[in-house]
Amino acid sequence: TMGNWLVNHWFSAAVLAAWLGINIFLFTYYFLFFDRDERYFYTRAILGSALAWARASAKCLNFNSMLILLPVCRNLLSFLRGTCSCCRRTLRKQLDHNLTFHKLVAYALALLTAVHTIAHLFNLERYNQSQQATDGSLPAVLSKMHLQGSNKWLNPIHSNRTTVEYVAFTTIPGLTGVIITLALILMVTSSTEFIRRNYFELFWYTHHLFLVYFAGLVIHGIAGLVRGQTEQSMAEVPPHHCTEYLTQRDQNCTHDCCKDPEFGSIPAESWKWVLAPIILYVFERILRVWRAQQKVVVTKVVMHPARVLELQMQKKGFCMEVGQYIFVNCPAISPLEWHPFTLTSAPEEDFFSVHIRAAGDWTERLIDTFQLETPRIEVDGPFGTASEDVFQYEVAMLVGAGIGVTPFASVLKSIWYKFQQADQTLKTKKIYFYWLCRDTGAFAWFNDLLASLEQKMAESGKADFLTYRLFLTGWDTSIANNVALHFDTATDTVTGLRHKTIFGRPMWNMEFAAVAAAHPRSVVGVFLCGPEALAKSLQKSCHQHSSLDPRKVKFYFNKENF
């Protein structure tokens, strides 16, 4: 399985290896540089190895801050996807792992911030101890150098009454460091799966603290509190030869080393790392605003059971593919909030549609608003890789779990249109669709779609083109009793469809064995939009039921990244 994963995700593995490699290189290179370079000989005399820990983590922080915005530049990704449309699909699909990479970089930033902060707390403590020392040691002598002149100081703490807290909240690096860290903590904690699902607005607004983060990052190093010996001073008083003269100097010293060393600040460079991504992101936001201004006409509003709102829309120049998604904004509710929804229409239709389920404050308010009037809607997109691979197999097994059923509305409709239009490029002859759901009530609209497809296929004598099986994984005794009473009816009591709902989870071995028996010489594409545990189970079944004989049945697993 590890071999299969590498074959399917070689590009992801290469990007991950490159990212890790650059981080390790930057950290190691700058750690050794600040731990050994002559310029920081005197700085190390006060700070020890905490200097290298702080500076090496700072370099990696700059690198990852440069990367963090790139995966969320949706239009940039769409452009890249378009320019490499001739590339292998595996390459284009890796662009859909953008949010996974964004999260990975964010976790790295959190870890590096912790290292950087702890190292600087040690540094401040050592600066403080050296300033208060009166033993004539090298750190004590170096800490009094500010008395010799403005360019001479090495220790930024010039008073015995200064505390670590005072430095943290009154200096530019201290204050911006505290603000950056707080912004990062809020962004990371508010982006957990639970908060995103249940309190999207909280996630959305706290994530805009990234503006504070980048502003703080650019200003953070301006004061240049960490200093090193200047090149000119090193030539005049080399630290290795002249150290002893600093601690044991007499008044009439005439040696070359009698001159005091001079120090200069490390120039601020965070802005060099993040300038290009910030400019790119500004263009991205301008493009989004411009696209949002383009008029969207809501052609039809359908209120389905269980508070599911269907919006059918038209927009000039809008061109979609199956499996893509759009961002929707309703200025009447919130001018800033954009929410992603999977497209449920097919490219062959003259409109595009989304189904919005009441699942949070914003969706509740949107549904309430549409029940009273038709407000103005803004749309950005479509985004994401098209799932055209479905059309490349003679037999397709589509598996949707819960909300994961949404993209298959687009896929099933599109396949039906291609089938009706006798599309010569469509290889698909048979579709098996499996829907696993705890509660079908929330997706009653999908039942309507299946019912209409069922009717259309029966009318055109192609009733066997689609076989679907619905699995209700959560039910109560009243449903079970109702099913028992109406067991002999032509349609199902839960969904009203001709195919009966099955209670419990699918026995995948039996399902795969049945498909293999029905199509002994076919190549079967297995597509999933659902949880990781189900993906592992299906992958295992694909492997077990594929024949070693190249002329016989083969199952290929595709986990779609909808």
Side-chain angles (χ1 to χ4, degrees):
T1 35
M2 188 64 187
N4 286 349
W5 188 90
L6 281 171
V7 168
N8 294 328
H9 300 86
W10 64 269
F11 186 72
S12 290
V15 168
L16 190 63
W19 173 75
L20 264 174
I22 293 169
N23 271 298
I24 292 165
F25 167 77
L26 283 173
F27 194 92
T28 310
Y29 179 84
Y30 283 101
F31 187 93
L32 294 173
F33 176 78
F34 283 96
D35 203 45
R36 294 178 181 179
D37 194 88
E38 289 280 280
R39 269 170 288 185
Y40 302 101
F41 179 86
Y42 290 124
T43 320
R44 284 194 299 276
I46 300 177
L47 302 178
S49 63
L51 167 73
W53 281 99
R55 298 308 303 171
S57 55
K59 291 291 176 187
C60 292
L61 275 167
N62 285 335
F63 171 63
N64 286 286
S65 297
M66 176 182 82
L67 296 179
I68 193 84
L69 286 177
L70 299 177
V72 289
C73 290
R74 297 193 294 265
N75 291 298
L76 172 70
L77 294 179
S78 286
F79 171 74
L80 290 174
R81 199 177 277 116
T83 53
C84 70
S85 57
C86 52
C87 319
R88 280 186 57 202
R89 186 155 190 278
T90 45
L91 196 65
R92 282 185 291 139
K93 264 183 77 172
Q94 300 315 313
L95 291 170
D96 281 350
H97 296 303
N98 59 325
L99 291 183
T100 308
F101 186 63
H102 177 71
K103 288 175 197 169
L104 188 67
V105 173
Y107 292 138
L109 283 175
L111 176 68
L112 291 161
T113 300
V115 173
H116 187 70
T117 306
I118 292 164
H120 270 320
L121 287 173
F122 274 106
N123 287 338
L124 280 176
E125 194 52 49
R126 284 172 183 167
Y127 273 141
N128 214 11
Q129 286 170 357
S130 301
Q131 167 60 32
Q132 290 175 10
T134 53
D135 56 1
S137 63
L138 182 59
V141 171
L142 289 167
S143 297
K144 302 289 185 288
M145 302 228 24
H146 62 277
L147 302 170
Q148 312 296 323
S150 60
N151 243 18
K152 305 280 176 77
W153 67 271
L154 179 62
N155 188 333
I157 297 175
H158 298 165
S159 159
N160 286 352
R161 292 184 300 279
T162 306
T163 61
V164 170
E165 292 77 19
Y166 179 82
V167 174
F169 291 100
T170 58
T171 62
I172 290 173
L175 193 58
T176 55
V178 169
I179 291 167
I180 287 170
T181 307
L182 285 175
L184 196 62
I185 289 168
L186 286 168
M187 283 191 285
V188 171
T189 52
S190 67
S191 59
T192 58
E193 188 78 12
F194 176 77
I195 289 176
R196 280 207 325 275
R197 289 261 177 256
N198 299 289
Y199 307 98
F200 188 86
E201 291 80 3
L202 179 66
F203 156 72
W204 179 259
Y205 288 115
T206 50
H207 240 60
H208 280 76
L209 287 169
F210 81 91
L211 297 167
V212 174
Y213 174 85
F214 278 102
L217 188 72
V218 168
I219 299 165
H220 185 60
I222 279 175
L225 293 194
V226 177
R227 290 159 74 89
Q229 196 174 354
T230 62
E231 294 286 345
Q232 188 184 342
S233 173
M234 280 178 67
E236 291 171 358
V237 275
H240 269 298
H241 297 107
C242 301
T243 312
E244 60 194 65
Y245 287 89
L246 268 177
T247 51
Q248 301 162 4
R249 184 189 300 170
D250 56 48
Q251 293 296 319
N252 308 315
C253 178
T254 54
H255 194 277
D256 287 349
C257 284
C258 296
K259 195 176 178 186
D260 283 330
E262 293 192 0
F263 304 98
S265 295
I266 300 168
E269 53 177 40
S270 292
W271 66 271
K272 294 177 190 173
W273 290 83
V274 298
L275 184 64
I278 287 173
I279 290 169
L280 259 176
Y281 191 76
V282 167
F283 275 117
E284 166 83 18
R285 291 305 280 249
I286 291 167
L287 187 57
R288 282 189 208 177
V289 169
W290 175 72
R291 279 164 59 146
Q293 299 309 311
Q294 294 171 321
K295 194 181 178 189
V296 175
V297 180
V298 178
T299 54
K300 192 177 180 183
V301 179
V302 185
M303 197 65 219
H304 292 283
R307 281 178 71 74
V308 173
L309 175 74
E310 180 184 353
L311 295 181
Q312 294 186 5
M313 298 165 278
Q314 288 178 327
K315 181 180 175 181
K316 192 179 175 185
F318 189 90
C319 184
M320 68 159 285
E321 295 293 341
V322 293
Q324 291 189 307
Y325 63 94
I326 57 170
F327 277 82
V328 176
N329 170 264
C330 180
I333 296 171
S334 167
L336 295 173
E337 283 183 51
W338 289 82
H339 291 256
F341 295 98
T342 306
L343 288 161
T344 52
S345 49
E348 291 82 0
E349 291 172 310
D350 61 353
F351 62 87
F352 61 96
S353 68
V354 289
H355 284 70
I356 299 168
R357 187 166 59 110
D361 297 348
W362 188 88
T363 49
E364 290 278 6
R365 293 207 300 273
L366 185 76
I367 290 166
D368 291 340
T369 307
F370 267 99
Q371 285 175 326
L372 300 169
E373 56 168 335
T374 304
R376 184 164 71 90
I377 289 289
E378 294 177 354
V379 166
D380 190 19
F383 300 106
T385 300
S387 311
E388 73 272 354
D389 270 16
V390 177
F391 311 135
Q392 303 302 315
Y393 294 94
E394 290 170 39
V395 181
M397 292 172 75
L398 313 180
V399 183
I403 193 74
V405 76
T406 317
F408 289 123
S410 177
V411 173
L412 288 171
K413 277 191 203 174
S414 187
I415 287 179
W416 174 246
Y417 279 114
K418 289 177 188 294
F419 198 75
Q420 272 190 318
Q421 293 159 7
D423 188 331
Q424 295 305 308
T425 60
L426 181 69
K427 294 178 183 175
T428 316
K429 301 289 182 282
K430 176 75 181 177
I431 291 198
Y432 292 89
F433 177 63
Y434 305 84
W435 179 15
L436 289 67
C437 203
R438 276 200 200 96
D439 143 44
T440 53
F443 307 103
W445 62 270
F446 199 81
N447 295 342
D448 300 342
L449 168 68
L450 285 175
S452 69
L453 282 174
E454 199 171 50
Q455 192 182 343
K456 283 177 188 171
M457 285 185 282
E459 284 168 6
S460 59
K462 305 282 186 194
D464 60 343
F465 174 65
L466 173 67
T467 297
Y468 59 86
R469 295 163 75 71
L470 312 182
F471 294 86
L472 197 62
T473 57
W475 69 88
D476 55 30
T477 48
S478 64
I479 293 178
N481 293 337
N482 195 23
V483 169
L485 280 170
H486 300 90
F487 189 74
D488 296 329
T489 53
T491 57
D492 184 67
T493 54
V494 179
T495 62
L497 294 162
R498 287 180 199 150
H499 287 247
K500 300 280 184 175
T501 298
I502 300 155
F503 291 85
R505 298 185 181 279
M507 304 284 284
W508 289 116
N509 273 338
M510 288 170 64
E511 300 296 337
F512 273 79
V515 172
H519 309 278
R521 296 185 179 278
S522 293
V523 174
V524 182
V526 180
F527 292 83
L528 166 70
C529 187
E532 203 56 49
L534 186 53
K536 285 179 182 168
S537 178
L538 289 174
Q539 211 162 4
K540 191 177 170 187
S541 294
C542 284
H543 190 66
Q544 283 175 347
H545 292 274
S546 289
S547 171
L548 292 171
D549 186 336
R551 293 164 297 177
K552 294 194 177 164
V553 69
K554 280 269 186 297
F555 289 91
Y556 286 99
F557 179 70
N558 302 265
K559 182 171 189 312
E560 277 304 340
N561 216 44
F562 294 108

